[in-house]
Amino acid sequence: MKKFMVVTSGVFFGMLVGCATPMKANSISEVDEIKNIDKCNSLGVVTGADAIMVGLLASKGSANAKAKAMNQAVDLGATHIIWSQRGTSITNEWYGKTYKCN
């Protein structure tokens, strides 16, 4: 029984650690504001979330969540993103408004 619990715990932990979301290559500018916003088209909101919120793995969860949101921005063809919520060690949720600027 102990052997089964150790193996099961190891598999579960391995699933948490091994669930990395790679970020697509991009040249999106992460900005606080867009000075010439009249030259930009709003593409919509992107979101990313991750369930890893425990101890040392919390930063990995935040990185995964950001990668998910950035990948959505890449798919939309965004050139800029303004984050309205950045992941923290508690939330691991990222929200941003995307724009395509000339």
Side-chain angles (χ1 to χ4, degrees), residues 85-100:
Q85 179 176 331
R86 292 180 165 103
T88 67
S89 61
I90 297 172
T91 64
N92 287 344
E93 295 174 340
W94 287 73
Y95 297 95
K97 293 182 181 180
T98 58
Y99 298 87
K100 184 167 187 155

Side-chain angles (χ1 to χ4, degrees), residues 19 21 46-53 58 60-70 72 83 85-88 90-96:
C19 297
T21 301
V46 294
T47 62
D50 197 284
I52 301 175
M53 299 189 305
K60 186 65 167 173
S62 184
N64 286 345
K66 181 180 181 184
K68 290 175 183 178
M70 286 295 284
Q72 290 174 21
W83 296 112
Q85 179 176 331
R86 292 180 165 103
T88 67
I90 297 172
T91 64
N92 287 344
E93 295 174 340
W94 287 73
Y95 297 95

Side-chain angles (χ1 to χ4, degrees), residues 39-55:
K39 297 181 181 179
C40 302
N41 293 320
S42 176
L43 301 176
V45 175
V46 294
T47 62
D50 197 284
I52 301 175
M53 299 189 305
V54 291

Side-chain angles (χ1 to χ4, degrees), residues 16-91:
L16 286 177
V17 174
C19 297
T21 301
M23 191 179 303
K24 295 178 182 178
N26 68 75
S27 59
I28 298 173
S29 298
E30 298 176 58
V31 296
D32 293 325
E33 66 178 74
I34 299 175
K35 294 180 181 178
N36 297 321
I37 198 139
D38 57 320
K39 297 181 181 179
C40 302
N41 293 320
S42 176
L43 301 176
V45 175
V46 294
T47 62
D50 197 284
I52 301 175
M53 299 189 305
V54 291
L56 299 174
L57 297 177
S59 64
K60 186 65 167 173
S62 184
N64 286 345
K66 181 180 181 184
K68 290 175 183 178
M70 286 295 284
N71 290 345
Q72 290 174 21
V74 169
D75 292 342
L76 291 172
T79 58
H80 293 75
I81 188 166
I82 299 175
W83 296 112
S84 56
Q85 179 176 331
R86 292 180 165 103
T88 67
S89 61
I90 297 172
T91 64

